[in-house]
Amino acid sequence: MPPQSTTDTLRAALHHATVPSVAMSAHNPLVAKLALEAKFHAIWVSGFELSASYAVPDASILPMSAILEMTRAMSEVCSLPLIVDIDTGFGNAVNVAYAVPRFAAAGAAAVVMEDKMFPKDSSLRAEGRHALVSIAEFQGKIAAAKASSTLLVIARTEALIAGLGQDEAIRRGVAYAEAGADAVLIHSKQKTPDEILDFCKAWPGTVPLVIVPTSYPQLSFKQVGELNKVGLIICGNHAIRAAVSGMRRTFARILEEGGIGGVEEEIAPVSDIFALQGDADMREIEKKYLR
């Protein structure tokens, strides 16, 4: 029997809603390896984190090639399913039909596509632009994605972000499932989980749900499992935020203390970095083949 693909692994995981899988965000292969080491279930190839790593806004500024190349690089060093944030799909349904097979070839297990108009704006940005495309247009994008590859397609509705209410969010989610979406990602920027909990309880259950609890971190994974509706929880931007806070602390201390001695016990040893780079494997190649 052939080994299970990461797409099949993720598909099965999405339907275990009583124990949701947890994906950690990543913006480069090193972060993906650390998430694998920590035993997360999947990797969220985060558009927000990739944009931040290039120091540009999360507003459809990065080209598809940058996201595609990072997806490929992560897949080469990490065996976890890669769930790639493709924002609005880089254009209309035609663009989607060309883009999704390229992400499949790069090693993705799933893509997440949202129903905002291009260019998108970050969902959590205060007073952001949150206009949505029509349901019919987004159904066409989903159908194009499904017809062009075997990847899972997770349809993200921004109806709650746009202030359109629960009824519209459910209407869109159901329509997207009917168009072939394998799961629906529902997002909220409220500071409490009430809006998301209400949506999950009202969701008719046509496909599993996916949530990104960035704004309401008090919601535990156990509470999510008790809903029996959510197959995947995404930690949407925690890798880049952890990296920024850690680097700021280290950089400030070096300058304050006038040397690097004080931070040595707080940062990873060079040997740890060598291990994450796969240095031991390279040494074996040297022994076998260098003459």
Side-chain angles (χ1 to χ4, degrees):
M1 185 176 179
Q4 191 175 43
S5 70
T6 57
T7 297
D8 290 338
T9 299
L10 183 61
R11 180 181 287 108
L14 280 170
H15 290 276
H16 286 289
T18 54
V19 185
S21 294
V22 182
M24 175 50 68
S25 58
H27 51 277
N28 62 41
L30 180 62
V31 177
K33 287 190 78 170
L34 289 170
L36 173 64
E37 177 185 275
K39 301 190 183 331
F40 282 92
H41 306 113
I43 299 295
W44 170 238
V45 184
S46 166
F48 175 86
E49 289 208 2
L50 283 169
S51 296
S53 71
Y54 281 88
V56 300
D58 180 23
S60 301
I61 292 171
L62 282 188
M64 184 180 81
S65 57
I67 304 167
L68 190 62
E69 181 53 37
M70 201 58 71
T71 300
R72 183 178 294 109
M74 290 186 200
S75 73
E76 290 173 355
V77 301
C78 181
S79 58
L80 294 176
L82 301 181
I83 305 159
V84 185
D85 179 9
I86 63 169
D87 289 340
T88 60
F90 310 104
N92 62 21
V94 175
N95 301 81
V96 170
Y98 279 91
V100 171
R102 285 159 173 77
F103 281 96
V111 293
V112 172
M113 184 168 54
E114 63 190 75
D115 56 2
K116 277 184 180 169
M117 294 182 68
F118 179 91
K120 61 87 53 93
D121 198 355
S122 176
S123 300
L124 303 181
R125 179 173 169 263
E127 300 178 359
R129 294 173 286 100
H130 304 309
L132 309 188
V133 299
S134 71
I135 290 175
E137 179 178 344
F138 199 66
Q139 284 182 312
K141 287 187 172 187
I142 293 167
K146 292 296 294 182
S148 62
S149 86
T150 59
L151 289 188
L152 297 181
V153 176
I154 300 174
R156 169 173 168 170
T157 180
E158 296 283 276
L160 296 181
I161 295 289
L164 301 179
Q166 178 177 290
D167 289 347
E168 178 65 9
I170 289 177
R171 189 166 77 95
R172 284 177 173 264
V174 169
Y176 301 162
E178 290 172 352
D182 297 284
V184 167
L185 192 159
I186 183 66
H187 206 13
S188 171
K189 59 182 176 181
Q190 298 300 311
K191 299 304 182 185
T192 70
D194 297 347
E195 185 175 52
I196 285 294
L197 291 174
D198 288 345
F199 177 92
C200 291
K201 291 170 184 175
W203 176 244
T206 51
V207 296
L209 295 175
V210 178
I211 65 170
V212 189
T214 304
S215 292
Y216 43 97
Q218 65 270 45
L219 183 65
S220 71
F221 298 164
K222 181 176 182 294
Q223 288 173 292
V224 175
E226 290 170 351
L227 295 168
N228 201 26
K229 296 286 185 74
V230 178
L232 178 68
I233 301 167
I234 295 175
C235 302
N237 48 40
H238 292 73
I240 196 79
R241 290 163 62 195
V244 168
S245 60
M247 285 189 282
R248 277 180 170 156
R249 284 195 302 270
T250 298
F251 295 172
R253 186 170 176 185
I254 287 171
L255 291 180
E256 287 168 2
E257 296 179 357
I260 60 174
V263 302
E264 281 300 303
E265 296 301 317
E266 295 184 358
I267 61 177
V270 173
S271 60
D272 194 4
I273 307 305
F274 278 153
L276 288 165
Q277 289 176 297
D279 187 75
D281 292 337
M282 188 189 75
R283 300 304 168 193
E284 286 300 315
I285 294 171
E286 287 180 340
K287 290 177 185 177
K288 287 182 179 179
Y289 305 117
L290 283 185
R291 300 287 187 266

